Amino acid sequence: MDAFTAGLLQRIKNTESDLTRARETGDDFLADVEQGELDDLRRLAAEHGVEVSTTSV
């Protein structure tokens, strides 16, 4: 795995965690921001052929 792929997957993992935390604390604004970030990261991964396992986030 190259550095780009590893970094992208780590950013996705961190963002998923942040999104879960925002939802658990009821911070709707932060949840929206994190969801947007996650959507962007997943799109970037797809554009570069990086397979991302889908979670229930």
Side-chain angles (χ1 to χ4, degrees):
M1 180 179 316
D2 62 26
F4 173 79
T5 300
L8 183 56
L9 293 174
Q10 185 62 49
R11 286 181 62 197
I12 289 170
K13 180 181 174 183
N14 292 346
T15 303
E16 288 173 337
S17 177
D18 292 344
L19 175 56
T20 298
R21 192 173 319 109
R23 287 178 175 166
E24 288 173 350
T25 61
D27 189 336
D28 294 335
F29 176 76
L30 183 56
D32 287 345
V33 170
E34 296 297 345
Q35 185 63 60
E37 177 72 10
L38 186 57
D39 293 344
D40 289 345
L41 290 169
R42 287 180 176 162
R43 184 177 60 251
L44 183 62
E47 289 173 358
H48 291 277
V50 176
E51 186 174 328
V52 177
S53 61
T54 306
T55 64
S56 59
V57 175

